[in-house]
Amino acid sequence: MPANLTPQYLDADKRFRQAKTAAEKISALEDMLALIPKHKGTEKMQADLKRRLSKAREEAQKRGKAGARGTTYHVPREGAGQVVLAGPPNSGKSTLVAMLTNAIPEVGDYPFTTRKPLPGMMDFENVKIQLVDLPPIAPDWTEGWVYALIRNADLVLVLVDLASDDVFEQVEQIRSQLATHKIQLVRHASEDSSDAGQITKRALLVGNKEEVEEPKERGPFLAELYAADFPVLTVSAASGSNLDTLRRALYDGLGVLRVYTKSPGKKPEHDAPFVLKQGSTILDVAEAVHKDIAASLKFARVWGADTFDGQRVTRDYAVQDGDVIELHS
Ligand SMILES: Nc1nc2c(ncn2[C@@H]2O[C@H](COP(=O)(O)OP(=O)(O)OP(=O)(O)O)[C@@H](O)[C@H]2O)c(=O)[nH]1
Ligand SMILES: [Mg+2]
């Protein structure tokens, strides 16, 4: 019996024995392979794990899509928008979600720590943004529902590891793996393609672990390399550096705006904004308030950056972030 099997390995072994679906078996075996101490005494076990893993994968493939479907998850959208975290194993996705939200995900210094989506709410000024921690995107096995959640999100936060020599390959790996699943990451939602099945998703590229990056030029180089493709920034989830900039970038990336409604002669409710897509009109605001108000809407008065105070506007006026609006029916 080889020595030094870690509690994490034994956990994975237990999960394998209790696994009911092919996907559960595969994920437990992947963990065991990642977690087994790598030395001479475990060589036979490693070979055996590899054999069992490839057999399990073959079987899952043979059973086709129905077999692979197994588990699915759906995370209902909450707050001003939904941001999913996509990245290679160990880049710090769970650490970041733990720092920014009220969620308490599991963090581990080994790959494939996260197995299920975990949502949490992040405060940004007077709104809340939903972040969803996901399992890693890895070349050999990423479960199908991960792509489904990415397709459904408003924004993808691609998190790569500046402490790794492979940081640039990681970006390309994520991009190409998503492209294989017909998801193209873009800077602006307006780059939407109409091709059936093929979709575009707004993305933000973030290099994590900036406090330990070595050489120190990786972060700036990442920003330079991808500046044309995505907004890029670097953070440290562990030390908390640059997280305020990230909160703002996530809000900006969602492509939304906030407006405030008020009754004549009263003050607006600044802590209760209506969050709408950029490009929304007065009519969209009225619909968000109540459909009866929308139906009987005559005009509105607006206090905002692009208007003089209390300016009268029609229902097709495009509202701006921060506008205060009085609806008249
Ligand atoms: N030095 C440093 N370490 C970090 C930072 N963020 C995360 N880590 C460490 O990186 C390791 C992986 O962190 P996780 O948050 O579990 O990474 P993950 O991307 O969720 O990993 P998977 O769930 O396996 O995909 C842990 O040991 C963390 O403590 C950081 O900013 N700096
Ligand atoms: Mg994780």
Side-chain angles (χ1 to χ4, degrees), residues 87-96 106-115 133-137 159 161 163 208-212 235-240:
N90 244 8
S91 64
K93 300 176 292 301
S94 301
T95 307
L96 189 62
E106 192 184 342
V107 169
D109 61 357
Y110 50 90
F112 297 99
T113 309
T114 305
R115 322 272 357 156
D133 188 18
L134 290 182
I137 309 264
L159 192 73
D161 184 350
N208 187 31
K209 311 191 189 180
E210 67 173 3
E211 91 288 5
V212 291
V235 301
S236 165
S239 76

Side-chain angles (χ1 to χ4, degrees), residues 25-237:
K25 276 189 189 147
I26 290 167
S27 86
L29 284 168
E30 280 173 342
D31 283 0
M32 289 161 74
L33 195 57
L35 295 168
I36 192 164
K38 309 284 187 302
H39 57 73
K40 200 118 190 95
T42 63
E43 268 173 10
K44 263 210 171 122
M45 280 179 80
Q46 290 184 50
D48 183 50
L49 282 173
K50 280 183 191 153
R51 193 183 47 76
R52 279 151 73 193
L53 184 56
S54 77
K55 199 164 150 234
R57 282 179 182 158
E58 251 170 51
E59 273 170 18
Q61 289 229 309
K62 255 191 240 151
R63 254 177 279 146
K65 284 194 174 160
R69 222 173 270 151
T71 335
T72 57
Y73 293 97
H74 173 65
V75 181
R77 176 179 273 92
E78 277 183 55
Q82 187 180 70
V83 182
V84 291
L85 278 88
N90 244 8
S91 64
K93 300 176 292 301
S94 301
T95 307
L96 189 62
V97 169
M99 279 298 271
L100 291 175
T101 76
N102 58 343
I104 308 177
E106 192 184 342
V107 169
D109 61 357
Y110 50 90
F112 297 99
T113 309
T114 305
R115 322 272 357 156
K116 289 191 297 194
L118 184 73
M121 298 308 289
M122 177 187 93
D123 285 319
F124 172 72
E125 297 180 350
N126 53 1
V127 294
K128 288 191 188 295
I129 295 171
Q130 185 183 44
L131 302 194
V132 185
D133 188 18
L134 290 182
I137 309 264
D140 36 5
W141 188 268
T142 302
E143 294 174 78
W145 57 260
V146 170
Y147 300 106
L149 287 181
I150 294 174
R151 293 176 86 90
N152 198 45
D154 298 311
L155 176 69
V156 183
L157 191 173
V158 177
L159 192 73
V160 291
D161 184 350
L162 291 170
S164 161
D165 288 340
D166 298 332
V167 61
F168 304 106
E169 285 86 347
Q170 288 176 357
V171 182
E172 289 314 313
Q173 177 62 42
I174 301 293
R175 266 181 149 183
S176 79
Q177 227 172 308
L178 292 184
T180 310
H181 288 80
K182 299 194 170 180
I183 303 168
Q184 193 201 346
L185 298 180
V186 294
R187 177 184 269 275
H188 301 292
S190 57
E191 295 171 47
D192 274 349
S193 85
S194 56
D195 192 4
Q198 176 82 37
I199 60 155
T200 53
K201 272 289 143 190
R202 280 166 174 254
L204 184 72
L205 175 61
V206 181
N208 187 31
K209 311 191 189 180
E210 67 173 3
E211 91 288 5
V212 291
E213 70 170 296
E214 196 57 58
K216 284 283 170 211
E217 297 80 47
R218 274 189 200 142
F221 192 47
L222 188 78
E224 197 183 314
L225 203 55
Y226 289 102
D229 300 347
F230 312 110
V232 188
L233 57 152
T234 62
V235 301
S236 165

Side-chain angles (χ1 to χ4, degrees), residues 302-309 311 313 317-323:
V302 177
W303 287 254
D306 289 0
T307 56
F308 57 79
D309 281 356
Q311 184 173 333
V313 297
Y317 174 79
V319 294
Q320 305 296 318
D321 192 43
D323 278 357

